[in-house]
Amino acid sequence: MTSFRSTACRISHRGKAFGALAAVVALTGTATAAAAPAAHPGHRGHQPANVILLIGDGMGDSEITAARNYQVGADGRLNLDRLDSTGAYTTYSVRKGTNTPDYVTDSAASGTGWATGTKTYNGAISVDTHGRRKATVLELAQRAGYRTGDVTTAEVQDATPAVLGAHVSDRDCKGPQETSRLCPSDARENGGAGSIAEQLVQTRPDVLLGGGGKYFEQQVTAGRYAGQTVLDQARSRGYFVATTAAQLRTAPRDKPVLGSFAPGNLDLEWVGPTPTHQNTPAARCSVNTHRDASQPHLSTIADVAIDRLDRLSRSGKGAKHGKGFFLQIEGASIDKQDHAANPCGQIGEKVEFDRAVGVALAYQKKHRNTLVIVTGDHGHTSQIVPAGSTTAGVTATLTTADNAPMTISYATASEPGGSQEHTGTQIRVAASGPEAYRVEGVTNQTDLFTTMTKALSISRD
Ligand code: MG
Ligand code: ZN
C-alpha cells in the first residue's frame, strides 16, 4: 500500500519560485505521475546529487520542543529548525498480511516505509506485509552508481539502519544465532540470505558505522563464509574495520569502512535525574563521564561519513564517477531513552543529533545539489506538562536555558517501571535542497521514498 501525494508543483526553495508546472489532479487519494516536474533550474544538471537523511528515532514534536527549551530556550532555534521546507507525515504501519492500519508503528515498519516506499507490519525489515522483499533506496542508489552510507548510534543491526540493506521477517534476527532461532527461513543453513549483520555486509555500503559488535562476532552457519565470524566476512568483502574514533579518522581512503564501536548501542551523551511519581527537584543534566571516550560522537560519525562519501563519489571511476551519494544518519537513543523515561538521556542524544544536522547543513551550503532531510520515525512518550505537576506516570523537572523549570512526564508504560511506548502521532519532516518542497503539507512516511529517489533520479524498476 504505497501512497503518493499529489505532485502538483509547489516549488519554494527559500523565496525562489521556479514557476508553476502543470498541476496534477488527485483522484481518490491517488496522484498520477503524469506531470513529473521537468529539470529544476539551479539544481539539476550539476552533479553530483546527494541525499542525506537524518533520522531522530522517536523524535516527535514533544522531543524536539523539550530539547529546544532545555538547550537554547523556548525562543531559540536548533539546527533542525532552520531547514527550508517543513511538513508533517503520518507514520502508521499495517497489520501483517493485510492493509489494515496499525496506528502505532515501530522503527522497523516505519523505516521500511521510507526505505522502500511500502507500508508493512511492525517488526518487518524491508519486506512487505506479505513478506516479500522490497528494494531499498540505498540498494537502488548503489545499483545506479551512487556511493552509500548507513550510520547510527545504535547497533548497526538495529531496525533503522537495518532497513536500508537487509530483508528479514523479524527485526530481532540481528546475528546468525538469532536468525536460526527466530527467522529460520532467512537463515543461511536453510538457504536464506542470512541475518541482518550478514546481509548488511553483503550489501556493503561504503560507510557502515555504529555499534553491534556482538553480532559481528558470531559465526556464519553455512555457505562460503561458514565457520568464520561475520566480521571476517566483512574483511573478505573488502571492509576496513574501525573500532575506535581514532581508527575511523585514519581509515584508508580507498576502502569501505565498517565501524563497530561497541558491543551494543553507543554510550549516552548525558545523564540526569530519574523521574518519580512525586516529581523531582529542578535540576540540570550533566555530561556522562562514564561514556567510553574511544567511541565517536554522532556529529563526528556524520562528519567522517560525509567527507568519505564526498571524496569517494568524486574519485569514482566509470559509472560511479561524479554520481554523488546517499547517506542515512540515525540518532537512535532519543527513542531508547524515551522508552527508559530518562529525560536527560533523551535530550542529550537529541542535542548531539542536532549537531549532526548542523554538519549536514554546512555541507549542503557548499554543495547545493544535496537534499538534506531531517525527520523522526514515530511519536513517543515524553510530554511537557505544567511545571512541578505530577501525572499518572512519572515526572522529572529540569532547569532549562531560560533558567525556568520544565517538567516532563512519561505515562505510557503498561506496567509500573516498564518500558514507555511509542505513540501514533504524525511527525515533523523537514528538508532543504532539490525536491525539498515535496515534504510540505501533510504526506505519508512512504512518500519520503519518492522524494529521495526523485532527488537521485533513480527508480524502483
Ligand atoms: Mg532506530
Ligand atoms: Zn522505540
Side-chain angles (χ1 to χ4, degrees), residues 57 107 335 339 378 380 422:
D57 198 311
S107 298
D335 168 81
H339 281 297
H378 54 73
H380 221 307
H422 297 174

Side-chain angles (χ1 to χ4, degrees), residues 71-95:
Q71 187 68 0
V72 293
D75 199 33
R77 290 294 174 265
L78 298 165
N79 291 321
L80 59 76
D81 295 324
R82 301 179 199 281
L83 279 77
D84 293 343
S85 296
T86 299
Y89 69 27
T90 57
T91 65
Y92 67 94
S93 54
V94 295
R95 305 261 168 206

Side-chain angles (χ1 to χ4, degrees), residues 55 57-58 107 152 154 158-161 171 330-333 335-336 377:
I55 301 291
D57 198 311
S107 298
T152 181
D158 205 22
T160 313
R171 59 182 290 171
E330 186 201 16
S333 290
D335 168 81
K336 294 178 195 307
D377 57 351

